[in-house]
Amino acid sequence: MNKKKIISYILMVTMLVSICYIPVNAGESVMETPDTGTVTIHFFNENNWQEPYIYYYSDSDETHTWPGIPMTAENNGWYSCTVREFSQVRVIFSDHGKNQFPAQNQKGFLVSGEMWYKNGQFYKANPDTESTTIHFYNTDGWQKPSIYYYTEDNIPADWPGTEMFPEGDGWYFYDIPGHREVNVLFSDNGINQIPESNQTGYTVSGERWFVNGIWYDSEPEADITVNFYNYDNWNQVNL
């Protein structure tokens, strides 16, 4: 092979290498395995099971064989399990394979983030320590003051919700466990709702009192309204 051919061959190889090589600049992103997060489930052992177990899976992956794994005892009847590398999972609780719920042949509960399960309901916070309490003053003399509540990602009840509990002097209350913040609507068992139909519910957290469209952080002093008919046409009525 003569020198000209050798030089031509070297130049061709150099050009091919320079074309195929694309450097990654420091400012460019490189694809990495995404962090899918964790899911933590807390379970209240209300039925005094001997061995609370959890079976979890995703819709595309059967993670364990039945009945899953034992849950970790916390305190006051609570057990927990943390599932890593999943953003959400379906879960089934059982007493080491017995007395499962959801029942056999039903899909597991879909859970994401950190949630607490007690008395057949999931909560975003520990229902034993976190709650929202609403007091409602029955200004219009409703027969059945009711409260409908929901969160941004959960609608727990059908309209008109739940009847509130009387606490005297025209006041009614309702305690919502396991929620730091909720949206609420009031009604007379579905009639005359506040706020009006198609309006967003009031956003409430902690303990609040509601009177005549105004929210208070503590129980307001009671106002007494007296109606008097001036049938003698007095010039000035004093009370």
Side-chain angles (χ1 to χ4, degrees):
M1 184 180 294
N2 58 40
K3 291 184 178 180
K4 288 185 178 180
K5 287 185 178 181
I6 294 173
I7 293 171
S8 298
Y9 179 76
I10 293 172
L11 289 172
M12 182 179 67
V13 171
T14 304
M15 289 176 64
L16 286 172
V17 170
S18 64
I19 291 171
C20 294
Y21 175 69
I22 303 174
V24 177
N25 295 328
E28 293 180 354
S29 61
V30 180
M31 183 177 291
E32 297 179 352
T33 303
D35 181 10
T36 54
T38 60
V39 180
T40 300
I41 305 103
H42 303 267
F43 170 79
F44 184 71
N45 187 16
E46 59 190 276
N47 294 315
N48 295 317
W49 286 350
Q50 294 296 314
E51 296 179 276
Y53 264 60
I54 185 170
Y55 175 82
Y56 66 85
Y57 64 97
S58 70
D59 289 333
S60 60
D61 180 32
E62 295 286 339
T63 307
H64 292 283
T65 57
W66 178 258
I69 58 175
M71 301 190 74
T72 302
E74 296 181 313
N75 51 45
N76 299 323
W78 286 98
Y79 289 75
S80 70
C81 175
T82 297
V83 181
R84 305 189 187 281
E85 298 183 358
F86 285 94
S87 58
Q88 63 179 15
V89 291
R90 291 191 179 274
V91 300
I92 299 173
F93 304 108
S94 74
D95 186 2
H96 200 172
K98 299 176 292 184
N99 306 315
Q100 76 177 66
F101 49 90
Q104 191 174 5
N105 298 323
Q106 293 185 5
K107 279 189 174 183
F109 299 117
L110 186 61
V111 184
S112 61
E114 184 172 17
M115 300 196 74
W116 283 255
Y117 183 84
K118 183 177 182 180
N119 297 330
Q121 184 172 341
F122 275 100
Y123 299 93
K124 289 277 189 180
N126 188 336
D128 292 346
T129 59
E130 297 282 352
S131 67
T132 299
T133 302
I134 294 105
H135 303 265
F136 172 79
Y137 188 74
N138 189 12
T139 307
D140 297 321
W142 288 349
Q143 294 296 312
K144 292 183 178 181
S146 302
I147 184 170
Y148 177 83
Y149 68 91
Y150 64 95
T151 62
E152 291 184 359
D153 56 358
N154 184 32
I155 300 177
D158 294 329
W159 177 258
T162 307
E163 190 172 341
M164 302 184 75
F165 300 103
E167 53 183 336
D169 298 326
W171 285 100
Y172 289 74
F173 82 97
Y174 194 77
D175 185 59
I176 304 171
H179 292 284
R180 298 185 181 96
E181 183 177 272
V182 294
N183 297 313
V184 301
L185 299 96
F186 304 107
S187 74
D188 187 2
N189 197 27
I191 307 171
N192 304 318
Q193 77 178 61
I194 305 171
E196 295 180 355
S197 181
N198 299 321
Q199 292 187 6
T200 304
Y202 298 114
T203 301
V204 186
S205 60
E207 186 172 15
R208 304 293 301 279
W209 283 255
F210 183 83
V211 183
N212 291 328
I214 301 174
W215 287 98
Y216 298 88
D217 292 330
S218 59
E219 183 177 353
E221 295 183 4
D223 293 327
I224 301 174
T225 302
V226 178
N227 298 296
F228 173 79
Y229 181 72
N230 186 14
Y231 59 89
D232 286 329
N233 294 319
W234 292 351
N235 291 324
Q236 185 174 350
V237 178
N238 296 315
L239 177 65

